[in-house]
Amino acid sequence: SANTIYVITPTYRRPEQIADLTRLAQALMLVRDVHWLVVEDSHVKSPQLTALIQSFGVRYDHLIAPMPEKFKKIRGAKPKGVANRNRGLKWIRQNAVEGVVYFADDDNTYDVRLFNEMRNTQKVSMWPVGLCTKTGLSTPIVKNGKLIGFYDGWIAGRKFPVDMAGFAISVKFLQERPNAQMPYKPGFEEDGFLRTLAPFEPHEIELKADNCTKILVWHTQTKKNEPSLKVDKEKYKNTNVL
Ligand code: UDP
Ligand code: MN
């Protein structure tokens, strides 16, 4: 419907996955008219994941989109979540006519009030994201109600130096741009995607969260808990039998 927020969440298998998805789901459970597109980085749908998502009672679709092999092999920076997000965009092109699209990574922290900010997006809306890079936040800079630039720890020649969690797009606007997609370019996913929305210029950005003065989403990262599998060999040492 006109008010639906399509939340695209890339996710992949790791020990923290269920904890992260549960935290995100608990936020979405408090938001009306949400359609959650959970896109697994995998060749097959995990039935356990379907059961988990289903259990939250949030309207959802469970999709799959594996990261291409050539990127998986890279030892350095990978284009994380790109195949997943493009799969979500494809689903929206095929299934939605109005509403709003938001890319919500599984490990970020969302204030439920963020969703009301983005709900009436006409083209592209933006707001600050906390805990981003060395600057501590990434945000549009607003003066007298107008966008005059961007603050981000990593500008790197980007036209739109913003975080994935810092913007939403209207479905209608997206539908008018059939070639819009996210590039497999680590660090330039947001900028690359927003550039494919041309014609679209920074002055058209709709500024949310009280003229970008409020932080309603944080780019948190869950600490990896590696030893959980290695410990297996010595598991009896970790058991205290009464
Ligand atoms: N992701 C994925 N496959 C991967 C790595 C990450 O699908 O191999 C997903 C992950 O679940 C998250 C998004 O892509 O929703 C961004 O990844 P991550 O949170 O690790 O990136 P960072 O926070 O470091 O930018
Ligand atoms: Mn993350």
Side-chain angles (χ1 to χ4, degrees):
S1 89
N3 276 318
T4 304
I5 297 173
Y6 296 93
V7 176
I8 299 177
T9 298
T11 190
Y12 72 111
R13 187 171 171 168
R14 62 195 191 283
E16 302 79 13
Q17 182 181 30
I18 294 175
D20 281 339
L21 285 171
T22 299
R23 189 155 49 107
L24 169 54
Q26 305 291 310
L28 297 182
M29 286 164 76
L30 297 171
V31 184
R32 68 178 171 89
D33 291 337
V34 163
H35 192 135
W36 195 18
L37 301 173
V38 181
V39 194
E40 239 190 304
D41 177 356
S42 165
H43 290 275
V44 286
K45 260 190 241 186
S46 154
Q48 291 88 348
L49 195 57
T50 308
L52 176 78
I53 306 165
Q54 195 264 115
S55 73
F56 298 120
V58 173
R59 189 165 147 217
Y60 77 95
D61 270 270
H62 180 182
L63 307 169
I64 49 173
M67 182 187 293
E69 252 346 287
K70 60 177 173 189
F71 299 120
K72 235 169 209 167
K73 286 190 297 210
I74 300 174
R75 228 178 287 156
K78 295 177 195 182
K80 296 183 283 189
V82 173
N84 325 40
R85 296 190 198 95
N86 283 328
R87 178 67 189 88
L89 290 174
K90 183 180 170 188
W91 187 97
I92 285 162
R93 288 200 167 94
Q94 294 171 337
N95 295 283
V97 288
E98 38 189 8
V100 173
V101 186
Y102 180 53
F103 298 117
D105 286 357
D106 57 3
D107 56 342
N108 291 336
T109 304
Y110 305 88
D111 184 315
V112 296
R113 290 166 289 188
L114 174 69
F115 297 91
N116 296 332
E117 294 292 324
M118 69 175 80
R119 202 179 287 280
N120 72 347
T121 302
Q122 301 300 303
K123 294 176 178 174
V124 178
S125 58
M126 293 192 184
W127 51 81
V129 179
L131 300 174
C132 259
T133 64
K134 63 181 180 195
T135 49
L137 88 160
S138 171
T139 183
I141 305 168
V142 182
K143 200 173 175 182
N144 299 327
K146 280 211 160 67
L147 178 75
I148 59 158
F150 297 93
Y151 179 76
D152 188 286
W154 194 68
I155 300 292
R158 294 186 293 167
K159 180 176 183 177
F160 300 99
V162 299
D163 188 80
M164 196 63 72
F167 64 92
I169 320 116
S170 115
V171 170
K172 273 190 186 148
F173 188 76
L174 184 73
Q175 292 288 22
E176 289 161 6
R177 286 155 177 79
N179 297 319
Q181 60 160 336
M182 197 164 285
Y184 287 97
K185 215 176 151 192
F188 294 88
E189 291 94 340
E190 299 88 349
D191 187 50
F193 171 72
L194 291 164
R195 283 171 188 256
T196 66
L197 295 177
F200 175 71
E201 294 300 324
H203 69 84
E204 298 176 89
I205 294 167
E206 297 146 58
L207 306 164
K208 303 296 187 185
D210 286 354
N211 271 326
C212 298
T213 59
K214 290 202 158 58
I215 294 177
L216 296 171
V217 57
W218 293 263
H219 190 143
T220 45
Q221 293 173 309
T222 307
K223 177 173 157 273
K224 288 210 160 43
N225 199 358
E226 301 266 24
S228 52
L229 297 172
K230 287 181 206 148
V231 104
D232 218 25
K233 261 194 281 180
E234 305 173 31
K235 63 184 168 189
Y236 297 113
K237 286 188 185 167
N238 297 289
T239 307
N240 183 5
V241 179
L242 296 175

